Amino acid sequence: MKKRVDVLIVGNTTYDEIRYDEGGRVLYRIGGGVFHGSIIFSKKSDINMTIVSNLTPHQHLFYKQYLDDRNIIAKYTNNVPFFKLVYGEKARKVYLELKGQAIDDTLVPNMHFDIALIIPVYHEVSYNLLRRVKSISKIVALDLQGLVRKTDEYGRVYLVSDASSFSFVKKADIIHATYEEIRAFTGKENLNEALQTISDNYGDKIWIITESDNIIWIIANSKIYHEKPPSVKPVDETGAGDAFLTAFALRFYETFDVFKSVDYAKRVVAHKITRPMEPLIEI
């Protein structure tokens, strides 16, 4: 009989307003890496998934479609992050309308986990919380996104790194980032230079770097590798990076094989992005 894997996922759940072509179709959805990372595997009998998040009562009801109430550890509040995502022809603009509140360190349960996924959306996870999670988890996987985000005076999100993001990375075993996020993290605009900087300074970690349908970069044992992305026509890529990180961490825990884990994560993401996510409201 296959051993059950205990997984902890920490980060805020969001509401996202998604606009297409500056005035076109508008969707409202639940979002955040915790949501996208947890629901894919929540119904697998060999995975016990626990989330720690700030939630509205409505979000809690949505989670209950996927998780047992005992696996939802939350502070209930209306002060959760609200993002506005505007898609144009060439780029996506992200605005933070409401930051939301930090996650209370005391919400982390007093038990041990095989894998912990830290997937912040905007600086809601404290370093003390991360240290607590590290002490009770065999593997810690971290998404870089919420650590390198800042906002300008208009609420538009841009990427920049600071000392806290370096401290977080040092506590993690596996890190996922996008091309733009590692450029921000390293301060290197050239992608090859950014990859080499990570290899030179943080090569003892496993890095998975994805960007839509571009090459997947992997850094392990201070060496840089690359893999082809999934060869599918995407319908909805929302949460693809979160799904990749979750799937990779799960398979890596089972195999300790980086490339088998990448292959498995590619299959999971290919399945996810070829199926539409249902919006909460469509206008």
Side-chain angles (χ1 to χ4, degrees), residues 52-100:
V52 171
S53 186
N54 289 312
L55 298 177
T56 67
H58 171 261
Q59 288 172 333
H60 183 193
L61 289 173
F62 206 86
Y63 270 113
K64 284 178 69 174
Q65 298 177 54
Y66 306 96
L67 295 168
D68 189 291
D69 242 358
R70 291 171 299 177
N71 297 91
I72 304 170
I73 303 172
K75 182 173 183 180
Y76 298 104
T77 173
N78 288 320
N79 185 16
V80 298
F82 180 75
F83 286 92
K84 183 183 289 184
L85 292 75
V86 181
Y87 288 86
E89 288 185 10
K90 295 183 179 179
R92 181 184 79 164
K93 298 176 185 176
V94 179
Y95 297 87
L96 181 62
E97 301 289 310
L98 180 64
K99 177 181 176 181

Side-chain angles (χ1 to χ4, degrees), residues 218-282:
I218 304 135
I219 299 173
N221 297 318
S222 298
K223 294 182 180 178
I224 303 171
Y225 308 91
H226 65 272
E227 290 267 345
K228 292 181 181 179
S231 336
V232 294
K233 185 176 180 180
V235 173
D236 189 337
E237 294 182 288
T238 307
D242 307 312
F244 200 108
L245 175 62
T246 306
F248 178 91
L250 284 166
R251 187 50 54 95
F252 185 77
Y253 172 75
E254 295 170 351
T255 66
F256 282 88
D257 186 307
V258 169
F259 297 100
K260 285 182 181 178
S261 303
V262 167
D263 186 60
Y264 175 66
K266 285 167 60 175
R267 296 199 305 273
V268 168
V269 169
H271 177 82
K272 174 179 171 53
I273 66 177
T274 51
R275 286 153 180 80
M277 282 191 62
E278 290 299 321
L280 302 181
I281 306 168
E282 185 164 355

